[in-house]
């Protein structure tokens, strides 16, 4: 894909470990074509959960503070020397900031011994004796992502064009996950993992609507009829591979050009 | 401070598995037991990293299982029979637009269930958890709350609230008001104890009567008279059970809270809510008279625990208050 005469937004993608798939996708695309549209994009893996838990830190006086880790990364990647005057420097530049946080939340539950034996009501059919109401899972994720929503608002206030990125869907093959990730002894049942994923994207959608930013959801292009990640995109059992990352970048590119 | 002595045939140890059920006052007992280092039995729970306020909205940890408030002896007896598969109500659910409501736990989670299947699965695992609780508990603390109930004309199924009051819809052809008398409550409690001891022969009971007055009555009496009637019947039944049932003790939380010696100071501004001071008094006597010495000593060191502080800050689940909100 070549940028040609189309719009060339400066796109910055920050995220948890799922952003590594997009980084691999960018590398793949840029290797295949050194003048591709993604060569000017930046994909930065921030960390695996601490930032999303505290993206917008609420202070005692009710004020909110952007997470200092993200703040510093933004400054470094946007080459802003004076971070405190960032608002003025960004005016008119309309940077597209795409966030891919939150999916670590799903893994904390789906690959956690405390949660692994859980099922989701209405999803699992066999007796498990420990299914939880799906709406409670949604509420729980909303609760855990409260700081995330606060951070998104702060980024908007700083002048960024912010959007949230959905995904990736779960891999259905538990044996594949065990093989790739032997350290995970406890894995939630496949259908429950899918239900968690759906609840998480619903929570993301809710944050997007509350903060007035788009949720970019390209799951239809990477999933099978049941909603699981297509095998050609399987990476290490949790994260998508380079082909997945490239696919998402292409969807994002098309989407940004449309909007 | 009045401290009515209780002669108990047994003492609770820290290792005894204690289950609780009953009206909303029983939630105070559940919280204090949990916060005081006793083995509070919970057979239907959530992972520990679920925030308490979310868990509570879905009625996890309010009691030993997610049955919500059990106000009447008949409701308790029918629950025991339902979880064993001995009886099932004719009315499996109520519909509220696109939602499915469990008539026997109408407020167990916000807005009920998304589908009939979800409700049935939840009910199946709930029954399993309640059965496990009845089978494995060492002590069951039950608080008798009301004599008044609404029941099905079809099969006598008793509901925790009036159909149509925030859940379901009222149909006088299907539902009727029922105010149990002394013989009814005694008979139901005797049947419950007889039947549960078939599952768990060594189960011990602590019976209390809720000191919380009625919010409203459908008896046609003034609510003051209706409250006195209800509490009198329940107190008399509790006394009778204490006299005749082995390993069952009546604990006078009702008397401690309502005694004139306390000059009404244990009631909150709404004259219904029991203040922490009153709960402290009740539970102080509870631990002193019903628990072994070692456990009482433990309590004195844990009285200011964070658990207790948190639990006090979260409101009780009181279905009756929905009547005021309507």
């Amino acid at each position: 894909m070549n940028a040609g005469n189309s719009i060339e937004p400066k796109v910055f993608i920050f995220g948890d470990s799922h952003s590594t798939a997009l980084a691999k996708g960018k590398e793949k695309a840029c290797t295949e074509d050194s003048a591709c549209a993604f060569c000017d994009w930046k994909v930065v893996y921030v960390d695996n959960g601490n930032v999303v838990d505290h993206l917008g830190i609420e202070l005692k006086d009710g004020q909110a503070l952007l997470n200092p880790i993200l703040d510093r990364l933004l400054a470094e990647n946007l080459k802003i020397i004076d971070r405190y005057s960032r608002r003025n420097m960004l005016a008119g530049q309309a940077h597209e900031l795409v966030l891919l946080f939150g999916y670590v939340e799903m893994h904390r539950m789906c690959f956690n011994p405390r949660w692994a034996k859980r099922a989701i009501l209405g999803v699992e059919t066999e007796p498990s004796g420990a299914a939880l109401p799906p709406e409670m899972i949604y509420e729980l994720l909303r609760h855990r992502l409260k700081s995330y929503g606060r951070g998104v608002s702060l980024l908007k206030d700083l002048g960024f064009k912010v959007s949230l990125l959905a995904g990736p869907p779960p891999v259905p093959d538990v044996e594949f996950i065990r093989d790739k990730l032997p350290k995970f002894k406890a894995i939630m049942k496949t259908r429950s993992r899918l239900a968690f994923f759906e609840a998480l994207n619903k929570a993301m959608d809710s944050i997007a609507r509350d903060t007035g930013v788009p949720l970019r959801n390209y799951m239809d292009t990477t999933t099978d009829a049941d909603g699981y990640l297509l095998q050609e995109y399987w990476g290490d059992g949790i994260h998508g591979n380079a082909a997945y990352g490239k696919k998402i970048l292409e969807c994002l590119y098309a989407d940004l050009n449309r909007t | 401070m009045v401290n009515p002595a209780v002669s108990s045939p047994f003492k609770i140890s820290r290792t005894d598995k204690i289950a609780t059920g009953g009206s909303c006052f029983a939630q105070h007992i559940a919280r204090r037991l949990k916060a005081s280092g006793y083995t509070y039995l919970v057979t239907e729970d959530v992972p520990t990293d679920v925030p308490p306020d979310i868990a509570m909205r879905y009625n996890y940890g309010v009691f030993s299982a997610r049955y919500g408030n059990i106000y009447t002896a008949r409701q308790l007896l029918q629950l025991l029979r339902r979880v064993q598969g001995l009886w099932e109500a004719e009315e499996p659910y109520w519909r509220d637009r696109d939602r499915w409501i469990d008539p026997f736990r109408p407020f167990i989670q916000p807005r009920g269930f998304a589908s009939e299947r979800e409700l049935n699965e939840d009910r199946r695992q709930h029954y399993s958890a309640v059965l496990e609780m009845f089978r494995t508990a060492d002590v069951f603390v039950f608080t008798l709350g009301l004599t008044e109930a609404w029941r099905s004309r079809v099969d006598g199924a008793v509901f925790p609230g009036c159909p149509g009051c925030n859940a379901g819809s009222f149909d006088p052809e299907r539902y009727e008001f029922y105010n149990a008398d002394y013989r009814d409550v005694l008979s139901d409690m005797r049947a419950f104890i007889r039947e549960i001891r078939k599952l768990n022969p060594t189960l011990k009971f602590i019976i209390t009567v809720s000191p919380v007055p009625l919010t409203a009555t459908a008896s046609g009496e003034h609510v003051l008279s209706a409250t006195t009637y209800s509490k009198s019947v329940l107190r008399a039944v509790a006394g009778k059970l204490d006299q005749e049932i082995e390993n069952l003790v009546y604990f006078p939380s009702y008397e401690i809270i309502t005694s004139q010696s306390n000059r009404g100071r244990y009631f909150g501004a709404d004259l219904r809510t029991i203040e922490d001071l009153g709960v402290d008094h009740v539970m102080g006597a509870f631990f002193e008279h019903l628990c072994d010495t070692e456990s009482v000593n433990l309590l004195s060191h844990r009285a200011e625990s964070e658990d207790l502080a948190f639990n006090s800050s979260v409101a009780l689940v009181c279905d009756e208050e929905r009547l005021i909100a309507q």
Side-chain angles (χ1 to χ4, degrees), chain A residues 2-234:
Chain A
N2 192 292
N5 294 324
S6 61
I7 304 164
E8 287 187 80
K10 289 183 185 301
V11 178
F12 299 89
I13 302 170
F14 289 82
D16 56 27
S17 56
H18 290 285
S19 60
T20 57
L22 274 64
K24 286 177 192 163
K26 171 178 149 56
E27 191 182 335
K28 181 177 164 68
C30 297
T31 305
E32 289 166 1
D33 176 1
S34 59
C36 78
F38 310 124
C39 291
D40 289 339
W41 291 23
K42 270 186 184 290
V43 182
V44 179
Y45 166 38
V46 180
D47 84 344
N48 61 1
N50 292 324
V51 169
V52 69
D53 271 356
H54 307 285
L55 196 75
I57 300 166
E58 188 173 21
L59 304 177
K60 275 188 176 176
D61 61 0
Q63 298 287 308
L65 180 74
L66 188 64
N67 185 296
I69 298 172
L70 188 68
D71 196 49
R72 181 170 178 175
L73 279 166
L74 283 170
E76 286 173 356
N77 284 280
L78 296 172
K79 295 185 171 49
I80 298 170
I81 296 164
D82 178 5
R83 287 193 283 149
Y84 298 100
S85 59
R86 180 176 47 214
R87 187 188 300 269
N88 293 333
M89 294 185 70
L90 287 172
Q93 291 189 37
H95 288 288
E96 190 75 35
L97 189 64
V98 183
L99 303 178
L100 180 57
F101 287 110
Y103 290 87
V104 72
E105 290 300 317
M106 190 178 86
H107 309 321
R108 278 179 184 168
M109 295 171 182
C110 295
F111 301 92
N112 182 327
R114 282 202 296 251
W115 285 85
K117 289 180 183 167
R118 299 282 166 171
I120 307 296
L121 278 175
V123 172
E124 300 291 343
T125 48
E126 69 270 41
S128 68
L132 296 171
E135 279 138 355
M136 190 181 131
I137 300 299
Y138 167 71
E139 256 194 67
L140 186 60
L141 291 165
R142 281 280 296 162
H143 174 85
R144 293 193 71 145
L145 295 172
K146 203 182 286 180
S147 176
Y148 185 47
R150 202 182 294 129
V152 170
S153 293
L154 283 169
L155 288 167
K156 264 186 74 181
D157 290 347
L158 287 169
F160 291 106
K161 284 170 65 183
V162 184
S163 55
L164 312 183
L165 196 55
V171 169
D173 187 338
V174 173
E175 289 312 309
F176 177 83
I177 300 170
R178 283 193 208 286
D179 183 50
K180 292 283 184 183
L181 300 164
K183 69 174 182 175
F184 287 120
K185 304 293 181 202
I187 303 173
M188 187 177 274
K189 288 176 184 173
T190 301
R191 295 187 65 206
S192 284
R193 278 187 291 119
L194 182 63
F196 264 76
F197 166 77
E198 287 166 352
L200 181 61
N201 271 350
K202 192 176 153 196
M204 290 298 209
D205 185 52
S206 164
I207 290 172
R209 277 186 282 107
D210 288 351
T211 52
V213 304
L215 173 69
R216 304 194 189 280
N217 190 335
Y218 312 125
M219 292 310 103
D220 287 352
T221 62
T222 55
T223 55
D224 62 21
D226 295 322
Y228 296 106
L229 189 64
L230 289 167
Q231 193 165 2
E232 66 200 85
Y233 296 131
W234 294 3

Side-chain angles (χ1 to χ4, degrees), chain B residues 240-286:
Chain B
K240 182 66 175 168
L241 294 172
D242 179 271
Q243 288 167 8
E244 69 177 28
I245 307 275
E246 196 180 342
N247 276 331
L248 181 149
V249 62
Y250 168 69
F251 178 72
S253 53
Y254 176 81
E255 284 84 342
I256 292 173
I257 296 295
T258 60
S259 166
Q260 63 275 27
S261 64
N262 298 316
R263 302 172 192 277
R265 67 193 168 128
Y266 289 162
F267 287 97
D270 61 1
L271 303 180
R272 286 190 81 244
T273 306
I274 309 300
E275 296 284 359
D276 281 347
L277 195 63
V279 180
D280 288 344
H281 188 166
V282 167
M283 292 311 292
F286 184 98

Side-chain angles (χ1 to χ4, degrees), chain B residues 48-302:
Chain B
T48 50
D49 48 358
V50 173
D53 58 327
I54 292 181
M56 187 157 178
R57 267 208 297 286
Y58 287 80
N59 270 270
Y60 284 99
V62 175
F63 291 113
S64 294
R66 291 175 76 215
Y67 28 70
N69 292 327
I70 302 172
Y71 290 106
T72 60
R74 182 70 53 88
Q75 198 189 336
L76 178 67
L77 177 61
Q78 290 183 350
L79 173 67
L80 176 63
R81 290 175 177 170
R82 284 205 310 271
V83 300
Q84 295 179 91
L86 301 175
W87 180 74
E88 192 53 83
E90 291 287 322
E91 200 161 5
Y93 56 78
W94 291 338
R95 287 299 305 274
D96 183 8
R97 292 184 291 276
D98 60 340
R99 308 295 292 184
W100 274 257
I101 310 292
D102 186 340
F104 305 102
R105 304 180 299 155
F107 309 113
I108 206 66
Q109 59 184 52
R111 298 185 62 238
F113 296 88
S115 67
E116 184 182 357
R117 178 184 169 197
E118 198 179 298
L119 186 153
N120 287 337
E121 283 187 22
D122 188 74
R123 183 180 283 161
R124 174 186 53 73
Q125 71 176 23
H126 170 61
Y127 283 2
S128 166
V130 176
L131 197 54
E132 184 192 343
M133 181 199 82
F134 282 148
R135 279 185 174 137
T136 58
D138 295 309
V139 181
F140 183 48
V141 183
F142 185 69
T143 299
L144 290 157
L146 295 172
T147 54
E148 294 189 15
W150 292 86
R151 69 180 175 190
S152 165
R153 290 181 187 274
V154 178
D155 60 0
V158 166
F159 308 106
C162 176
C165 179
N166 290 301
S169 56
F170 189 74
D171 177 356
E173 298 296 314
R174 287 191 68 84
Y175 309 114
E176 64 181 358
F177 175 69
Y178 161 64
N179 199 1
D181 62 18
Y182 172 81
R183 280 173 304 181
D184 291 342
V185 180
L186 184 60
S187 166
D188 286 343
M189 286 305 293
R190 280 173 172 164
F192 172 76
I193 292 163
R194 189 172 58 245
E195 291 177 24
I196 198 174
R197 280 196 166 151
K198 287 181 185 166
L199 294 172
N200 184 352
T202 59
L203 182 63
K204 304 176 190 77
F205 294 91
I206 296 171
I207 304 294
T208 69
V209 172
S210 168
V212 179
L214 274 64
T215 296
T217 177
S219 64
E221 301 292 323
H222 190 279
V223 73
L224 288 179
S225 305
T227 297
T228 301
Y229 169 80
S230 185
K231 301 300 178 186
S232 303
V233 166
L234 298 176
R235 176 61 187 87
V237 168
K240 182 66 175 168
L241 294 172
D242 179 271
Q243 288 167 8
E244 69 177 28
I245 307 275
E246 196 180 342
N247 276 331
L248 181 149
V249 62
Y250 168 69
F251 178 72
S253 53
Y254 176 81
E255 284 84 342
I256 292 173
I257 296 295
T258 60
S259 166
Q260 63 275 27
S261 64
N262 298 316
R263 302 172 192 277
R265 67 193 168 128
Y266 289 162
F267 287 97
D270 61 1
L271 303 180
R272 286 190 81 244
T273 306
I274 309 300
E275 296 284 359
D276 281 347
L277 195 63
V279 180
D280 288 344
H281 188 166
V282 167
M283 292 311 292
F286 184 98
F287 288 122
E288 182 181 339
H289 297 297
L290 297 177
C291 299
D292 62 32
T293 315
E294 188 192 351
S295 301
V296 172
N297 289 339
L298 176 81
L299 172 73
S300 64
H301 295 293
R302 293 181 60 96

